[in-house]
Amino acid sequence: MPKPSLHIPILYGSQTGNSQSCAESLAESLPTTLHKSFSSSAIKITSTAKDLDDFLESDRADWPRLVVIICSSYGVGQAPLGCWKFRDLCDAILENDDSSADTRLVGLKYAMLGLGDSKYSTFFLNPTALDTALSKAGAERIGSLGKADASGVGDKVQSKVMEEWCENIIPEIVRVVKAFLEESEDEKKLIEETLMKAKEQTCSLCAKLFEDWDENYKKADETKTMNNLFLPILALIVAILIALFMNKLT
């Protein structure tokens, strides 16, 4: 029986690079850190950093069991680069009065670290909007909502808060992984089906919000198809050249 695997994406929105740098660092260290609690022979854990909009567009909102979100505010509480469409999605969830939408993201667990600057009254508005929307849609946050303030001093210096949050979230992630390993096959299948439904409902809402949604998907699909065809085509060309060369020799 193959060992179970768990992928934990670290999703970010970043204007100045701080959120992206933190996300990439956490994605690089997370598998090694978690394998201190779980044998690599018992479970394969992987992690990658990706901006929130790419997750929506390239991955088609393929929700896993757990995501970690690291995102700042920009301007007057607006979304930073890489989070524009994700913020629009969250705003649409918050503005929707349909109670059925409250189960859109059931089955998803997330951790969130927000960045901002308290010199501005709206410094934490974007992370708050994301957190509130995900919660409203039925997702479950693990750990505390991190608040890293660019104007923080002493123990509240932004870099120190970010570092401490990344350390403190590990035990929460460990609990999620442990629960995953203890699930029966039927429980795993049920959660996978629930997350597939979350993906479908998220994509359905995105199609209503973004005029270029289907076009972007088509482009991404075409790129993926070309990448999949590249190696076979290259192998065929090499085979033909070898055959031509052998014919010349004979």
Side-chain angles (χ1 to χ4, degrees), residues 10 18 24 58 67 76 82 115 136-138 162 166 169 188 202 212 224 227 247:
I10 316 297
N18 290 333
E24 291 173 344
S58 299
V67 298
V76 287
L115 283 67
K136 181 185 177 185
M162 294 167 67
C166 288
I169 202 61
K188 284 184 171 64
T202 302
D212 61 350
K224 184 177 180 181
N227 289 338
N247 285 336

Side-chain angles (χ1 to χ4, degrees), residues 51-231:
D51 76 45
L52 287 152
D53 287 351
D54 274 349
F55 170 73
L56 284 184
E57 295 179 315
S58 299
D59 293 357
R60 298 298 279 183
D62 191 10
W63 295 109
R65 291 167 169 267
L66 172 66
V67 298
V68 178
I69 297 175
I70 301 175
C71 192
S72 62
S73 276
Y74 176 69
V76 287
Q78 299 158 311
L81 294 174
C83 184
W84 293 345
K85 287 189 174 180
F86 196 87
R87 172 63 182 276
D88 286 343
L89 172 71
C90 289
D91 286 344
I93 291 173
L94 293 174
E95 293 166 3
N96 194 338
D97 294 328
D98 183 1
S99 60
S100 64
D102 294 347
T103 61
R104 194 189 306 273
L105 296 179
V106 167
L108 171 68
K109 289 183 171 59
Y110 70 98
M112 184 174 294
L113 169 62
L115 283 67
D117 190 335
S118 61
K119 288 191 300 184
Y120 305 97
S121 59
T122 57
F123 90 103
F124 209 66
L125 197 154
N126 185 59
T128 299
L130 270 53
D131 178 56
T132 305
L134 293 173
S135 178
K136 181 185 177 185
E140 177 188 349
R141 193 183 76 225
I142 65 170
S144 62
L145 176 58
K147 294 185 177 183
D149 183 2
S151 293
V153 296
D155 291 339
K156 299 299 182 181
V157 169
Q158 188 178 67
S159 59
K160 186 173 183 179
V161 172
M162 294 167 67
E163 182 180 351
E164 290 179 350
W165 185 89
C166 288
E167 291 174 357
N168 293 336
I169 202 61
I170 296 300
E172 302 292 339
I173 297 177
V174 166
R175 279 190 275 273
V176 173
V177 177
K178 183 179 179 181
F180 168 69
L181 290 173
E182 292 175 349
E183 289 170 358
S184 67
E185 289 304 313
D186 287 343
E187 288 172 326
K188 284 184 171 64
K189 183 178 180 181
L190 180 59
I191 292 178
E192 288 173 1
E193 291 174 351
T194 303
L195 291 171
M196 179 58 67
K197 183 178 179 181
K199 172 182 178 176
E200 292 171 354
Q201 292 187 332
T202 302
C203 288
S204 177
L205 180 55
C206 286
K208 295 177 182 178
L209 292 173
F210 311 122
E211 293 181 357
D212 61 350
W213 178 255
D214 291 330
E215 180 181 343
N216 285 341
Y217 175 64
K218 183 178 180 181
K219 289 179 179 178
D221 193 47
E222 289 174 349
T223 300
K224 184 177 180 181
T225 300
M226 289 301 296
N227 289 338
N228 290 338
L229 290 174
F230 176 75
L231 288 178

Side-chain angles (χ1 to χ4, degrees), residues 232-248:
I233 292 174
L234 180 62
L236 178 61
I237 293 173
V238 171
I240 292 173
L241 291 175
I242 291 174
L244 291 173
F245 179 73
M246 295 300 295
N247 285 336
K248 287 184 177 181

